[in-house]
């Protein structure tokens, strides 16, 4: 009797399970005879409808460039055509597609139906039932930009630190693409992307970046490197910032309480956004008589702080690169609130027909590649004994 009850309970549990979990079967993938290289979290499966669902990352191994916007749940696939997939459906080159990519997101990882991918981009598929493997015998040539110039909108710190002068010649040598940087604050750089006036963005203002992604202004955003912000001021340190024990909020309180001059970027850049968030978190409204908004780039802001014997917040790389021009010293560093994360974003080609999205994707891929990441880690080592930036790209899917 007890055995019968147990069997009934097991049956009830199984019946209560979602059909997709019961029916889904793990499968394998291969491209040109080689097993797919996938993260442990991105595992392909056979859905309950009998569709082979593959992680978006697999398509890059088939010669299809991809972008993923987690904020809007939009995947973009490019190779001769532009396919855009959302949970609501699929378009190809702006028109509704017969072949729905059936986009789903599991554990933050986007999956699409490989049969629809094959139909849209002209790939052949084979199924090996004994090994449960979807095989793609021939892959596509990876699309490369025919227009060999792109506009890079970026923050001033990548320019003032010398990083762009170090990286861009290597990028051009490897790809033949000339990147033309426009160095402004991160807010202004992101606005250029929003307005369709840049192809790719290299910025460091997470809140503004995610707002742009939510608005659909970019098709991808990847964190690629970081350094840190520091609080600098005159060596005499009239506000006693040094005694704040490397606590950023205490440092700001000391500057305010002593009525010391503070020079702000005031340009809606990533640095400016960070600085203003610190005042807010400290519960302080800066005194207009001692709080100066420079409305300019980082190096110019440092120069003004130097002239006024005041304090400011700067990224470490720009400060170190220009130390020979400055007498300002580091007075607060190492607080977790001062982390400075940079991201690369590919502008949405829907902005206008002049967006060089293939060159932008090549730039993003190069920056995130082993070589790009290694070069980022190399910059500054020979001169300062340590990197000015630290590469930290981790694939999102």
């Amino acid at each position: 009797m007890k055995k019968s009850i147990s069997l009934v309970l097991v049956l009830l549990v199984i019946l209560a399970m979602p059909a997709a979990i019961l029916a889904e079967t793990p499968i394998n993938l291969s491209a040109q005879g080689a097993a797919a290289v996938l993260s442990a979290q991105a595992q392909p499966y056979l859905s309950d409808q009998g569709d082979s669902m593959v992680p978006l990352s697999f398509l890059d191994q088939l010669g299809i460039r991809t972008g993923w916007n987690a904020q809007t749940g939009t995947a973009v696939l490019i190779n001769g055509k532009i396919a855009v997939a959302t949970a609501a459906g699929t378009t190809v080159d702006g028109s509704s597609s017969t072949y729905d990519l059936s986009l789903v997101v599991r554990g933050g990882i986007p999956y699409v139906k490989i049969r629809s991918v094959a139909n849209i981009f002209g790939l052949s598929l084979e199924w090996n039932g004994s090994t449960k493997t979807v095989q793609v015998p021939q892959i596509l040539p990876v699309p490369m930009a025919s227009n060999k110039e792109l506009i890079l909108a970026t923050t001033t710190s990548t320019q003032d630190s010398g990083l762009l002068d170090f990286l861009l010649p290597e990028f051009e040598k490897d790809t033949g693409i000339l990147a033309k940087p426009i160095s402004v604050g991160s807010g202004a750089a992101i606005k250029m992307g929003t307005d369709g006036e840049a192809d790719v963005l290299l910025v460091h203002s997470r809140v503004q970046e995610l707002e742009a992604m939510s608005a659909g202004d970019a098709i991808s955003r990847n964190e690629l490197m970081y350094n840190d912000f520091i609080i600098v001021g005159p060596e005499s340190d009239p506000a006693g910032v040094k005694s704040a024990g490397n606590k950023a909020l205490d440092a700001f309180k000391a500057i305010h309480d002593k009525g010391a001059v503070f020079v702000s970027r005031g340009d809606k850049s990533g640095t400016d956004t960070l600085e203003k968030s610190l005042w807010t978190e400290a519960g302080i409204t800066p005194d207009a008589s001692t709080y100066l908004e420079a409305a300019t780039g980082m190096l110019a802001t440092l120069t003004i702080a130097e002239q006024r014997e005041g304090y400011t917040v700067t990224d470490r790389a720009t400060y170190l690169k220009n130390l020979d021009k400055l007498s300002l010293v580091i007075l607060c560093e190492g607080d977790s609130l001062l982390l400075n994360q940079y991201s690369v974003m590919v502008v949405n080609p829907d902005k206008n027909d002049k967006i060089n999205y293939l060159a932008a994707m090549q730039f993003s891929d190069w920056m995130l590649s082993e070589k790009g990441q290694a070069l980022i880690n190399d910059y500054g080592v020979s001169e300062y004994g340590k990197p000015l930036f630290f590469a930290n790209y981790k694939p999102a899917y």
Side-chain angles (χ1 to χ4, degrees):
M1 183 67 176
K2 289 183 178 179
K3 185 174 182 181
S4 298
I5 293 173
S6 297
L7 288 172
V8 170
L9 289 173
V10 170
L11 180 60
L12 288 173
V13 170
I14 292 174
L15 290 174
M17 292 174 66
I21 294 176
L22 286 173
E24 287 176 4
T25 304
I27 59 175
N28 301 302
L29 302 173
S30 75
Q32 284 190 321
V37 179
L38 303 171
S39 69
Q41 294 75 30
Q43 294 305 306
Y45 63 96
L46 196 67
S47 74
D48 56 322
Q49 285 82 31
D51 297 323
S52 295
M53 304 299 293
V54 304
L56 201 63
S57 57
F58 177 58
L59 306 187
D60 292 299
Q61 299 171 49
L62 306 182
I64 299 171
R65 293 194 181 276
T66 62
W68 171 240
N69 185 336
Q71 274 62 48
T72 60
T74 304
V76 177
L77 288 60
I78 298 175
N79 191 312
K81 303 173 182 179
I82 301 180
V84 179
T86 66
T90 302
T91 62
V92 176
D93 292 337
S95 300
S96 181
S97 174
T98 305
Y99 307 109
D100 189 0
L101 288 165
S102 304
L103 175 71
V104 295
V105 182
R106 293 158 47 108
I109 297 172
Y111 290 80
V112 293
K113 184 164 66 175
I114 189 62
R115 174 57 62 186
S116 293
V117 173
N119 286 330
I120 292 170
F121 293 100
L123 288 165
S124 61
L125 301 178
E126 296 175 358
W127 171 253
N128 186 325
S130 63
T131 61
K132 292 185 173 59
T133 301
V134 174
Q135 300 171 326
V136 185
Q138 297 295 325
I139 65 175
L140 301 170
V142 180
M144 301 293 181
S146 56
N147 179 354
K148 297 297 184 180
E149 291 186 356
L150 69 79
I151 297 174
L152 166 64
T154 185
T155 176
T156 60
S157 60
T158 57
Q159 184 74 65
D160 291 344
S161 66
L163 180 68
L164 294 184
D165 293 334
F166 180 70
L167 293 179
L168 296 187
E170 291 296 319
F171 169 69
E172 183 178 5
K173 184 172 68 176
D174 289 347
T175 65
I177 297 171
L178 175 63
K180 296 182 173 181
I182 299 177
S183 297
V184 288
S186 284
I190 292 169
K191 180 67 162 53
M192 288 182 66
T194 298
D195 294 341
E197 296 176 349
D199 304 305
V200 66
L201 314 177
L202 180 53
V203 288
H204 65 140
S205 184
R206 186 175 187 275
V207 171
Q208 294 178 84
E209 292 164 25
L210 294 181
E211 287 174 352
M213 294 300 290
S214 295
D217 295 332
I219 61 173
S220 65
R221 170 186 174 271
N222 288 285
E223 296 183 348
L224 80 156
M225 64 184 185
Y226 71 93
N227 61 8
D228 64 344
F229 292 107
I230 52 179
I231 299 174
V232 299
E235 189 171 8
S236 59
D237 189 17
V241 169
K242 192 71 174 176
S243 62
N246 289 321
K247 299 295 183 182
L249 300 185
D250 290 343
F252 271 42
K253 289 175 183 176
I255 293 168
H256 177 264
D257 290 347
K258 293 293 185 180
V261 171
F262 186 94
V263 183
S264 168
R265 285 275 295 267
D267 61 352
K268 297 183 179 179
S269 62
T271 307
D272 184 57
T273 301
L274 177 280
E275 173 238 307
K276 286 179 168 53
S277 74
L278 293 176
W279 288 115
T280 299
E281 194 164 344
I284 297 171
T285 299
D287 189 331
S289 65
T290 55
Y291 183 76
L292 311 179
E293 291 201 287
T296 188
M298 193 68 258
L299 179 55
T301 300
L302 283 165
T303 302
I304 294 170
E306 171 95 5
Q307 294 168 345
R308 297 299 299 267
E309 296 187 335
Y311 297 85
T312 192
V313 172
T314 176
D315 65 285
R316 188 185 295 270
T318 301
Y319 171 78
L320 290 177
K321 182 66 177 178
N322 297 280
L323 195 52
D324 60 332
K325 307 180 183 73
L326 303 166
S327 64
L328 300 172
V329 298
I330 299 173
L331 297 169
C332 180
E333 61 182 332
D335 191 322
S336 61
L337 294 175
L338 299 175
L339 179 68
N340 186 21
Q341 178 69 53
Y342 290 78
S343 300
V344 58
M345 302 169 64
V346 175
V347 175
N348 194 330
D350 280 349
K351 290 293 176 181
N352 59 63
D353 59 9
K354 294 183 180 179
I355 300 297
N356 194 356
Y357 56 88
L358 285 178
M361 294 181 107
Q362 285 183 249
F363 178 83
S364 178
D365 288 349
W366 187 88
M367 291 289 284
L368 303 174
S369 69
E370 287 187 13
K371 178 174 182 178
Q373 295 281 280
L375 286 171
I376 289 169
N377 282 333
D378 283 345
Y379 182 62
V381 173
S382 61
E383 188 171 355
Y384 304 104
K386 60 182 178 180
L388 294 190
F389 297 86
F390 299 86
N392 69 334
Y393 168 62
K394 294 179 181 178
Y397 57 88

